Amino acid sequence: MELLSGADMITRFLADEGVEYIYGYPGGAALHIYDAIHRQDKVNHILVRHEQAATHMADGYARATGKPGVVLVTSGPGATNAVTGIATAFMDSIPMIVLCGQVASHLIGEDAFQETDIIGVTRPIVKHSFTIEHPSDIPMILRKAFYIATTGRPGPVVVDIPKDMTAPTEKYEYVFPKKVKMRSYTPVGRGHTGQIKKAVELILKAKRPILYGGGGLVLGGASELFTQLAKKLNFPVTTSLMGIGAYPQTDRQSVGWLGMHGSFEANQAMHHSDLVVCIGARFDDRATNNVSKFCPTARIVHVDIDPSSIGKTIRVDVPIVGTATSVLEEMLALLDESKTQLEPDALADWWKQIDAWAASRAGRIYEPAEPGETMKPQQVVEAVWKATQGKAYVVTDVGQHQMFAAQYYKFDKPNHWITSGGLGTMGFGFPAAMGVKLNKPDEEVVLITGEGSFQMMMQELSTCSQFGIPVKIINLNNQSLGMVRQWQDLNYQARHAQSYMQSLPDFKMLVESYGHVAMKVEKAEDLDAAIEKAFAMKDKLVFLDVYVDPHEHVYPMQVPQGSMKDMLLSKTERT
């Protein structure tokens, strides 16, 4: 029998669970836990400069690896500083464990120093939460937390830990729970065979079908099966923003991602389809535009692990609740067994129409800057794609640069596109990129950001110095909150209320003051050489401050309250 304090139980459990890194910031209510971390050498703690950064680091790690990220913060402001990162993970279904110190149990409810009801504060934005009521409960509660966070539809779990639960003088038996069973929680497994058969019947009859993949394919490790299905059927393939990389974007059957700033051909194909097979996406408003005008001639098959997502916004003809992996496996088996087979040229007319949509936009997306002109942000992203051969882990913040990165960097693998989709969190990118790079040191990790987003978490340059995290940062500097300014141009007669950034720092001097490398790029003819130089410095954080056209808009762009086919194609064109 091994006797451990509550704090030592936490660190031992994390080691037994296989956790290598924990991201956090110390404070009084968590000091027993921090002392326990200091006295062991299996779990490495990364000291961030703000608790929000800890959650985003854990989030980035989880998105790139599929494993849950772990955060440790103190009570009160430490816990509330983590709320934005918790909400970010919740909206995108990212597995995360957030350990929050709390005031001693006898002080709870007394408005004690640094007391906050973090369980109450985070209740709407967590998958589940726990409070430790006795030290002996710690191993099983942590085991349940990891189980809940990683099974079914993943999400963040908060564990509130009163300080007296971790006192070094109180010791109890520690046993790592190998099994966990929760009577009130049964994750979804296989889909209903009858419903899957109905879906296959519709697939075999469709004349204008499209496969629509979401983030659930990436989270569920089902991208390969999804690709097999697309190849077997010869269907066009689109994805949501979160599903980028679930299907190779350089493949002939890919029509790009759909929605607000999705590709012209993807949105046109969705609108005119007669069958949409959606797997692992939730029909978010940024994907559907006006739901009353969504895909008016299409039957819809919706596969999702979360039953509450099916039928929530879009009427579905064949609902299938199950894991993407199990449903795709069964679909492929049924297609192999089916006596009805698709004719080789059954979709010839449909592909002819899709190719015509794609050809109509070829060469008309944007005009690259000539030597001496201000660069276009699109050409910067394309240059990064070429320099990394499309193999990098690309992380973004939120805004125009995020959309340009999604449009012009082509992803052929899942888990390589890391962005805040549902919550749209500025400040997410830098710490998320750090979380990826720390755990994938031999991979190229690139942050594409803007000066507005970067300033929200730029203090983490210090963390990168301390722990040697050599991410590459491409700052598309347009001296403005680009997406805000774009909407003001379109909807507010170009009244730019608080969207131009004034008194910006000299980013080169700022980054260098932390001991990193920085370069300012103002001319298009200097771009390729600067990118080549940056990526040649493998062990250095390199910041490229790239000045781009502040007047450039992101196109295509759906017309608000229109159908999927209603799009602005440029400042002067629309469908």
Side-chain angles (χ1 to χ4, degrees):
M1 180 185 299
E2 186 174 16
L3 299 179
L4 297 176
S5 70
D8 286 322
M9 284 186 186
I10 292 170
T11 57
R12 177 66 63 83
F13 177 90
L14 294 175
D16 290 345
E17 184 67 30
V19 174
E20 185 178 359
Y21 289 102
I22 184 170
Y23 315 94
Y25 201 95
L31 284 186
H32 293 328
I33 305 172
Y34 271 91
D35 187 63
I37 291 172
H38 185 74
R39 290 184 281 102
Q40 57 84 56
D41 59 4
K42 292 184 179 179
V43 180
N44 300 290
H45 182 275
I46 303 300
L47 176 64
V48 296
R49 273 46 176 176
H50 191 288
E51 290 88 351
Q52 183 177 335
T55 55
H56 293 329
M57 282 192 77
D59 187 318
Y61 162 77
R63 292 177 197 246
T65 66
K67 300 175 182 178
V70 183
V71 175
L72 174 60
V73 296
T74 192
S75 64
T80 57
N81 277 349
V83 167
T84 298
I86 295 170
T88 301
F90 179 76
M91 289 291 283
D92 290 341
S93 304
I94 304 303
M96 181 188 296
I97 312 297
V98 183
L99 307 177
C100 296
Q102 183 57 278
V103 300
S105 55
H106 70 278
L107 293 175
I108 291 176
E110 299 291 332
D111 292 332
F113 177 67
Q114 292 193 332
E115 179 190 357
T116 297
D117 177 12
I118 196 61
I119 297 293
V121 168
T122 59
R123 185 168 282 116
I125 53 169
V126 296
K127 187 175 179 183
H128 196 62
S129 53
F130 294 95
T131 295
I132 303 296
E133 297 181 352
H134 193 276
S136 62
D137 297 334
I138 288 174
M140 182 52 76
I141 285 179
L142 291 182
R143 186 71 182 86
K144 289 179 179 179
F146 275 81
Y147 177 63
I148 292 171
T150 56
T151 56
R153 180 178 179 173
V157 176
V158 165
V159 182
D160 197 32
I161 310 171
K163 187 171 184 178
D164 51 322
M165 298 297 109
T166 59
T169 55
E170 301 290 330
K171 297 187 178 183
Y172 299 88
E173 181 182 0
Y174 171 82
V175 176
F176 180 79
K178 295 183 179 179
K179 294 182 179 181
V180 59
K181 186 176 182 181
M182 300 179 68
R183 185 175 58 183
S184 59
Y185 176 65
T186 305
V188 171
R190 302 189 65 83
H192 190 281
T193 297
Q195 292 295 91
I196 297 173
K197 287 181 178 178
K198 289 181 182 179
V200 170
E201 290 172 4
L202 290 178
I203 285 170
L204 292 171
K205 295 176 182 177
K207 301 298 182 184
R208 302 186 310 279
I210 188 165
L211 286 178
Y212 171 31
L217 291 170
V218 179
L219 293 167
S223 300
E224 186 174 337
L225 289 169
F226 183 68
T227 301
Q228 289 179 28
L229 180 67
K231 288 299 181 184
K232 179 180 285 290
L233 298 173
N234 191 34
F235 281 10
V237 180
T238 186
T239 71
S240 67
L241 182 73
M242 298 308 299
I244 288 176
Y247 186 85
Q249 289 191 308
T250 58
D251 186 79
R252 181 191 68 83
Q253 289 174 235
S254 173
V255 295
W257 54 280
L258 55 74
M260 173 70 76
H261 293 291
S263 76
F264 175 74
E265 53 267 38
N267 284 337
Q268 294 295 323
M270 283 287 288
H271 181 81
H272 292 93
S273 65
D274 66 358
L275 177 67
V276 175
V277 181
C278 173
I279 304 177
R282 57 185 176 88
F283 292 108
D284 175 77
D285 62 290
R286 286 299 173 105
T288 63
N289 210 352
N290 189 329
V291 294
S292 67
K293 301 176 182 179
F294 180 75
C295 299
T297 60
R299 305 289 295 276
I300 296 177
V301 175
H302 189 186
V303 181
D304 204 287
I305 200 168
D306 182 0
S308 71
S309 290
I310 298 179
K312 183 168 66 175
T313 58
I314 298 295
R315 183 189 60 80
V316 175
D317 296 282
V318 182
I320 304 173
V321 180
T323 66
T325 298
S326 68
V327 172
L328 284 166
E329 286 175 343
E330 194 161 349
M331 276 187 177
L332 287 164
L334 288 170
L335 285 167
D336 286 339
E337 296 168 4
S338 176
K339 295 179 181 178
T340 305
Q341 296 294 323
L342 288 169
E343 296 295 329
D345 59 350
L347 303 179
D349 290 342
W350 182 226
W351 271 112
K352 184 178 180 180
Q353 174 63 78
I354 291 171
D355 290 340
W357 282 323
S360 72
R361 293 288 291 153
R364 300 172 61 204
I365 306 301
Y366 78 96
E367 293 294 330
E370 298 294 332
E373 294 180 346
T374 304
M375 275 172 286
K376 295 296 177 69
Q378 301 95 319
Q379 72 186 101
V380 179
V381 175
E382 286 189 321
V384 173
W385 177 60
K386 291 175 183 176
T388 59
Q389 301 178 321
K391 297 177 181 179
Y393 285 82
V394 176
V395 188
T396 77
D397 277 292
V398 171
Q400 283 185 324
H401 67 268
Q402 176 191 32
M403 297 296 101
F404 288 132
Q407 289 176 336
Y408 292 95
Y409 197 104
K410 302 303 180 185
F411 295 85
D412 286 340
K413 292 182 179 180
N415 302 102
H416 283 58
W417 164 247
I418 314 289
T419 197
S420 171
L423 195 65
T425 306
M426 292 177 68
F428 167 85
F430 186 23
M434 292 160 60
V436 178
K437 183 63 176 179
L438 190 67
N439 290 274
K440 292 185 175 291
D442 297 328
E443 301 289 342
E444 201 67 80
V445 179
V446 183
L447 167 64
I448 297 177
T449 187
E451 73 283 352
S453 290
F454 183 72
Q455 288 183 97
M456 291 191 173
M457 283 284 127
M458 64 185 181
Q459 74 281 344
E460 299 309 316
L461 288 165
S462 176
T463 304
C464 289
S465 297
Q466 181 176 350
F467 295 97
I469 308 175
V471 298
K472 302 298 184 283
I473 302 171
I474 312 295
N475 184 44
L476 299 183
N477 193 336
N478 61 6
Q479 302 93 57
S480 68
L481 300 175
M483 191 59 82
V484 174
R485 178 185 43 74
Q486 176 169 334
W487 279 81
Q488 289 171 337
D489 286 342
L490 295 172
N491 299 313
Y492 299 92
Q493 291 76 53
R495 294 189 297 273
H496 299 132
Q498 305 303 315
S499 58
Y500 275 97
M501 304 289 283
Q502 298 179 3
S503 301
L504 288 171
D506 183 322
F507 285 109
K508 184 175 185 297
M509 292 180 65
L510 174 74
V511 172
E512 288 176 345
S513 74
Y514 283 96
H516 304 301
V517 177
M519 292 177 270
K520 185 181 294 187
V521 185
E522 298 179 276
K523 298 179 181 179
E525 55 266 34
D526 297 334
L527 178 64
D528 289 340
I531 289 176
E532 182 180 358
K533 184 177 179 181
F535 287 114
M537 291 183 270
K538 298 297 183 183
D539 298 326
K540 294 283 188 180
L541 183 151
V542 184
F543 185 99
L544 290 186
D545 191 18
V546 185
Y547 283 74
V548 297
D549 186 349
H551 305 293
E552 190 71 4
H553 285 183
V554 181
Y555 292 110
M557 179 180 181
Q558 285 182 335
V559 176
Q561 295 306 308
S563 68
M564 294 206 71
K565 69 179 178 63
D566 298 323
M567 306 185 75
L568 301 173
L569 303 178
S570 71
K571 291 181 179 180
T572 58
E573 300 174 275
R574 63 174 290 170
T575 55

